[in-house]
Amino acid sequence: SMSNKEAIELVMQTFLHLGSKTYSHLETVLTRYLKVIESMLTEDDSQLNVLLAVQDFWSNSSQHRSYVMGKLMTYRIVANTDIADWVLSDPGLRQCHRFHSWEVLKEVSAKVLAKKNDLEDLFRESLARNDGKEEERRTAVEEAEEDARKFSLHVLRLFLNRIASPPPDQCAISDEAFKDTLRRRLRAFCRMHRCQPCSCVLVSGVFVCLTKRLWWPQFEQRGLAFAEGTSARYVEGRLG
């Protein structure tokens, strides 16, 4: 019988072909068959397989890929972390020398931060007006902040794992050039999300120095060890 991945690929490519004439056709098809797509999200990697199907169908059109992925996020077929999983998956990283994949991740990051900022603005307006919505909007801000935190940590973990263990056929470029590409993109992501107020970030007890390009276990090779909870600024100071 057909696997879930094969079913998703067949159905998505059929829908994308039906909507390929114009962007309005695409939106109509996606809206009409939304329930069908949702019904196929039965496995842990189903959302990633949806994005891979979009990548395969629109391999020569970054604009169409961005449009469809944006709609899939709007319709809650995929989450922001699914987009990050796709960008840093083996198939996604084969395009890491192309600008488009990183732009998609940047756009998703911008949406996550914009949602948080918009809710913070509404909360401040409620406080100024004393309109009785303060607690409701405070809760919304806290939820958005938690979503942004989880997203940034998820992406940081993906980056660190990829730098430590590149896919075997990465980008058709040298291993060191591949890692340099990921380091640059990681530093840009950290600046955007202000992950830490200094050049070191802490991810699940693992410290990474962005400016000195030191990654675990390179700290251990230098005889450095830090306990869980150690501040990133302290780590930066120890590195000199």
Side-chain angles (χ1 to χ4, degrees):
S1 62
M2 187 177 294
S3 68
N4 180 253
K5 180 178 180 180
E6 291 169 335
I8 287 173
E9 182 176 4
L10 176 62
V11 169
M12 286 302 299
Q13 297 212 358
T14 300
F15 291 164
L16 293 173
H17 176 73
L18 289 173
S20 61
K21 189 173 182 179
T22 66
Y23 285 120
S24 59
H25 279 79
L26 263 177
E27 183 167 9
T28 298
V29 169
L30 290 173
T31 304
R32 180 176 298 169
Y33 297 108
L34 193 60
K35 294 296 183 183
V36 176
I37 300 173
E38 288 176 341
S39 70
M40 296 189 298
L41 305 179
T42 57
E43 299 181 3
D44 290 342
D45 59 354
S46 293
Q47 285 84 353
L48 177 58
N49 288 329
V50 168
L51 295 170
L52 291 174
V54 175
Q55 174 184 314
D56 289 343
F57 187 85
W58 291 115
S59 59
N60 295 318
S61 176
S62 59
Q63 292 90 347
H64 281 88
R65 283 202 301 273
S66 293
Y67 178 84
V68 174
M69 289 179 183
K71 288 297 180 183
L72 291 173
M73 275 191 64
T74 300
Y75 298 146
R76 300 183 182 276
I77 295 296
V78 300
N80 48 37
T81 51
D82 296 320
I83 299 288
D85 288 341
W86 166 71
V87 171
L88 291 160
S89 67
D90 284 3
L93 285 174
R94 293 190 191 107
Q95 304 183 49
C96 76
H97 58 294
R98 298 181 182 179
F99 190 61
H100 165 258
S101 295
W102 303 113
E103 274 299 294
V104 172
L105 183 58
K106 184 178 178 181
E107 289 170 10
V108 172
S109 297
K111 288 180 180 178
V112 171
L113 296 175
K115 178 182 178 181
K116 180 174 73 73
N117 293 337
D118 289 345
L119 289 171
E120 287 173 346
D121 289 342
L122 288 173
F123 175 58
R124 282 191 289 268
E125 288 176 10
S126 288
L127 287 177
R129 296 175 181 174
N130 194 24
D131 58 8
K133 297 180 180 179
E134 295 91 342
E135 286 306 311
E136 175 187 341
R137 289 180 172 171
R138 187 197 302 276
T139 300
V141 168
E142 290 172 351
E143 290 175 352
E145 288 176 343
E146 180 64 11
D147 287 344
R149 187 189 70 82
K150 288 180 178 178
F151 174 69
S152 63
L153 286 177
H154 182 82
V155 175
L156 283 169
R157 291 189 187 102
L158 290 174
F159 268 112
L160 295 178
N161 288 336
R162 281 316 193 174
I163 290 167
S165 303
D169 55 350
Q170 26 77 8
C171 306
I173 60 177
S174 72
D175 185 65
E176 196 54 41
F178 170 78
K179 290 183 178 181
D180 279 343
T181 296
L182 289 189
R183 287 169 184 147
R184 288 196 304 273
R185 299 299 180 180
L186 173 55
R187 286 194 292 274
F189 179 84
C190 287
R191 285 194 300 271
M192 188 174 187
H193 281 259
R194 299 176 181 177
C195 296
Q196 290 285 347
C198 58
S199 61
C200 288
V201 293
L202 172 63
V203 183
S204 296
V206 176
F207 282 98
V208 182
C209 179
L210 303 179
T211 55
K212 294 184 180 297
R213 298 187 180 184
L214 286 174
W215 316 89
W216 210 269
Q218 288 172 281
F219 284 10
E220 292 177 328
Q221 293 169 2
R222 292 184 53 170
L224 297 170
F226 304 99
E228 182 77 33
T230 305
S231 74
R233 191 172 294 282
Y234 174 79
V235 176
E236 186 179 43
R238 286 290 307 278
L239 291 172

